[in-house]
Amino acid sequence: MNAKNIIVGTDFSKGSYVALDVATDIANKLIANIELIWVCKEKNLFSDEQTESLRGLAMEKLSTLAKEYGKKLTKTTIEWKVLDGKVATVIAKEAERINASMIVIGTNGASGFEKYWMGSTAVRIVQEANCPTLSIREGFNYHKNLERIVAPLNMTENSRQKIPVVANMAKIFGSTVHLLGLIEQRSEESTIDIYLHQAEKYLSDMGIPFVSEKMLTKNLSADTLEYAESISADLIIITTEQENILSTLFIGTHAQQIIHHSLIPVLSSHPRDIGSLAR
């Protein structure tokens, strides 16, 4: 069987190193190759000489990282590339070219505008990529086992499409799944009960342990994050909701808020892009 592929985007920040650590662990469990990418996006800010100097330094760092992390991969390999252009577009196109199973990116956990900008970069990658994207904050403890996965379910049909991915990740890592049914009014309770039952049956049939809870909410994203933090979750898995049915360029505000603000890793995908992680 051919190995899967994981893309890791790096800017050599602490957050991106955490992402590479996590990606290496995932690659060993998925039997996946890693492609480490640095995107040169500052051509308009520097002279040609300065740009080439940046590229040279990046290539040295990438080579060093590939050698270091290549030793941690048990059955696969790590390669590196320097590419030019807009970060989200370049990474998304490369993921499509190599049929990547996942993109892993780190954010630096900064505050204020920089935190928002890093979150926005992650959102843009999620928007453009045709495979799930895992975004990880700098402070995440990657040495901890992936014990608890939160899978929020709301009234949209698409929210259930994450369950095969949730099940596969839980199976790979031996995790317990925490299904969180979110309703905004009591009249939705019977429908969310059906959705929860369907998800429970799927997980039960696969022999995956789960906990199921239901919550009345006024803010889907805030309550998802609060719940995940209250149980010390290790991963949140979401499907992005399209707010404009005429466009696939914009994801729903709830998904954006979770990606922006979560201190816990978030695995995001479009409903149409569940892909090979579910197989």
Side-chain angles (χ1 to χ4, degrees):
M1 184 179 70
N2 293 331
K4 296 178 173 67
N5 296 300
I6 294 174
I7 282 183
V8 181
T10 185
D11 59 0
F12 308 116
S13 65
K14 291 181 180 179
S16 67
Y17 291 143
V18 172
L20 184 53
D21 279 307
V22 174
T24 301
D25 188 31
I26 294 173
N28 281 329
K29 290 181 170 64
L30 283 180
I31 310 179
N33 296 310
I34 291 177
E35 184 172 297
L36 184 61
I37 296 175
W38 178 76
V39 181
C40 184
K41 61 184 189 300
E42 306 291 354
K43 282 188 172 182
N44 59 328
L45 298 180
F46 299 100
S47 66
D48 290 344
E49 185 177 345
Q50 290 171 321
T51 298
E52 285 309 307
S53 178
L54 277 175
R55 291 174 68 91
L57 288 172
M59 292 168 70
E60 289 179 15
K61 288 184 178 181
L62 290 169
S63 179
T64 299
L65 286 171
K67 289 177 183 176
E68 177 185 348
Y69 282 85
K71 296 175 183 177
K72 300 178 182 182
L73 292 172
T74 55
K75 296 181 180 179
T76 53
T77 61
I78 180 169
E79 297 181 355
W80 58 267
K81 279 187 176 180
V82 172
L83 299 174
D84 298 296
K86 295 182 179 178
V87 174
T89 301
V90 167
I91 289 178
K93 286 183 177 179
E94 183 65 9
E96 182 176 9
R97 189 188 71 80
I98 68 170
N99 193 27
S101 297
M102 181 190 295
I103 296 167
V104 183
I105 54 172
T107 60
N108 60 11
S111 59
F113 178 79
E114 191 172 15
K115 176 179 179 180
Y116 179 83
W117 186 88
M118 292 301 291
S120 296
T121 300
V123 166
R124 287 194 291 271
I125 292 173
V126 172
Q127 289 168 348
E128 297 195 35
N130 67 347
C131 65
T133 299
L134 177 62
S135 54
I136 303 167
R137 289 281 178 198
E138 177 184 326
F140 174 67
N141 179 13
Y142 61 87
H143 295 296
K144 185 178 182 295
N145 291 331
L146 204 162
E147 298 173 354
R148 288 175 284 275
I149 297 174
V150 172
L153 296 173
N154 57 36
M155 291 296 291
T156 60
E157 271 191 63
N158 287 340
S159 75
R160 291 176 291 171
Q161 293 187 26
K162 71 171 72 68
I163 297 304
V165 172
V166 171
N168 200 42
M169 291 293 285
K171 188 174 182 180
I172 290 169
F173 289 94
S175 313
T176 296
V177 174
H178 290 252
L179 296 169
L180 179 63
L182 295 163
I183 56 174
E184 296 180 275
Q185 48 193 358
R186 288 295 178 187
S187 60
E188 300 172 345
E189 196 162 2
S190 59
T191 301
I192 209 69
D193 283 341
I194 292 172
Y195 289 0
L196 285 169
H197 176 72
Q198 291 171 340
E200 291 165 358
K201 185 178 186 308
Y202 190 99
L203 295 173
S204 181
D205 288 346
M206 292 189 67
I208 295 168
F210 64 86
V211 175
S212 188
E213 297 191 42
K214 189 166 48 182
M215 180 186 298
L216 187 64
T217 179
K218 293 183 179 179
N219 188 315
L220 293 169
S221 54
D223 286 336
T224 296
L225 293 176
E226 184 176 341
Y227 174 79
E229 290 172 7
S230 73
I231 65 165
S232 299
D234 304 295
L235 179 66
I236 301 170
I237 299 182
I238 63 173
T239 44
T240 61
E241 309 297 341
Q242 302 298 327
E243 292 191 335
N244 179 352
I245 62 174
L246 299 178
S247 174
T248 60
L249 296 178
F250 300 99
I251 64 175
T253 55
H254 296 302
Q256 289 189 46
Q257 288 171 12
I258 288 174
I259 295 168
H260 280 321
H261 300 298
S262 181
L263 300 177
I264 298 164
V266 179
L267 182 63
S268 315
S269 65
H270 300 300
R272 67 185 187 278
D273 294 333
I274 296 301
S276 58
L277 278 179
R279 296 194 289 272

